[in-house]
Each structure stands twice: as C-alpha cells, then as structure tokens.
Amino acid sequence: MSGEHLISDEETRSIAEGFLSVSPWLGDVEWARTVLGPHAEFLVGFDGKIPENATLSDDQRWSWAVSFSDPAGRRSTLNHEVVLGGLTRLVYDKDTGSDIYLSLPISQWFTEPSETRCSLRLSAPQQSLICQHALYERTVFPTGEREELFGKKLDFFSDQRPDTASSSEA
C-alpha cells in the first residue's frame, strides 16, 4: 500500500478552485507553488518565495497554495494539507450539525479507491463546505445546496435589490 489511495495535490487543488468559484466575496486571490515535506521552510528565499530551480530532497515535493482576503481584509491561505484537514474533519467529525446531510456525498467520495475517486466530481458547494471546515472548522456561509434543499434563499435586503424593486412597483 504505497499511497495508491492517498488524495493527490490535483484533487485538493480542484477542491480549492471550486471553493473560490462560489465565493465571489473573496478577493486578492494569489496562487503560488510551495514545497511539502520536512524542512521545506529552509527553501524559502528572502523574498518569501521558493525559487523555481530549488533542489528538493527525496522526501519533499512540489505542491500548491492559494491566499485570498475576506470582506474584512483578513488574509487566509489554503494548501494541500489545509484542505485535507477540512476534508478529514468533515468525514470523521460526527458533530457536523446541519452539514451532516451535505457531507454524506463527501464521505462517500473520500472512501472511494483512488482510481474511482478521480473520475467522480464533487460539486462546487461541496468543495466550499470542505474549505470552510478547513479554514473555520465550521460552515460560515451557505454553500448553495441549502438553498436548493430548503427553497428560496433568505434575503433580508430583497426589497433593496434593483431587480425586485422594479417588479414590486409594476
């Protein structure tokens, strides 16, 4: 069993991309290459980046990272290990509250053999759920699937929206 079931960097990057695609309020998105493995921090140069021609040891490998800002300006970063943490938390934590129904497909995807799992696609709301649990250890904002499950989105500002204000005047 030499890692053939492990979730790859490509899979976790795809999850992060799905999260960003349904999170238009996140700004200043910056993708970067990073290194995973022991002593990877020693490869970082004075500019805070790892040189493209860095020589990696046998127990290190190239990976990805993405940083972004929330509406309050708080900077957050996702990478392979952080996304795996959120995924693991969702699958193994039995206290997911209202997310339990939404996390069932994620749990099934997580336990599929690598060959099968790579051909299955999580939805963007499921990917968002994983990343929210990775960053905040809970769901901070709706993933989109709740709206589909429970009807119309609750909008406290619907009377102020241009499309609904014009239709109510007619």
Side-chain angles (χ1 to χ4, degrees):
M1 270 316 256
S2 62
E4 65 265 4
H5 191 75
L6 298 178
I7 295 173
S8 70
D9 286 72
E10 292 80 25
E11 290 171 292
T12 57
R13 182 182 171 115
S14 176
I15 290 170
E17 289 169 346
F19 167 64
L20 292 170
S21 76
V22 295
S23 308
W25 49 88
L26 299 175
D28 304 322
V29 176
E30 294 180 31
W31 288 92
R33 284 180 69 185
T34 189
V35 173
L36 295 178
H39 310 294
E41 64 275 7
F42 296 125
L43 297 172
V44 177
F46 291 112
D47 60 356
K49 297 179 181 178
I50 299 172
E52 291 294 323
N53 62 350
T55 304
L56 306 184
S57 65
D58 290 340
D59 51 356
Q60 294 174 331
R61 63 184 167 84
W62 286 105
S63 188
W64 62 272
V66 62
S67 61
F68 46 87
S69 299
D70 68 12
R74 178 177 171 240
R75 203 84 182 135
S76 297
T77 301
L78 287 171
N79 60 35
H80 177 71
E81 292 170 330
V82 172
V83 172
L84 279 179
L87 183 57
T88 303
R89 194 172 294 112
L90 264 177
V91 171
Y92 291 115
D93 186 2
K94 297 302 177 199
D95 186 26
T96 56
S98 63
D99 294 329
I100 191 71
Y101 178 76
L102 300 175
S103 65
L104 290 174
I106 296 169
S107 295
Q108 180 181 348
W109 178 87
F110 181 81
T111 59
E112 292 285 341
S114 180
E115 187 177 290
T116 305
R117 188 183 60 240
C118 288
S119 67
L120 302 173
R121 297 286 167 237
L122 294 169
S123 69
Q126 291 164 340
Q127 294 166 332
S128 176
L129 189 64
I130 292 166
C131 291
Q132 288 183 61
H133 278 260
L135 293 167
Y136 316 113
E137 297 184 10
R138 62 188 178 95
T139 304
V140 177
F141 49 86
T143 61
E145 290 189 357
R146 283 194 180 118
E147 297 162 19
E148 295 170 14
L149 288 174
F150 303 115
K152 188 176 176 183
K153 176 182 174 183
L154 179 62
D155 186 357
F156 295 106
F157 302 101
S158 62
D159 61 333
Q160 298 176 32
R161 305 225 185 263
D163 56 341
T164 57
S166 62
S167 63
S168 63
E169 294 172 5

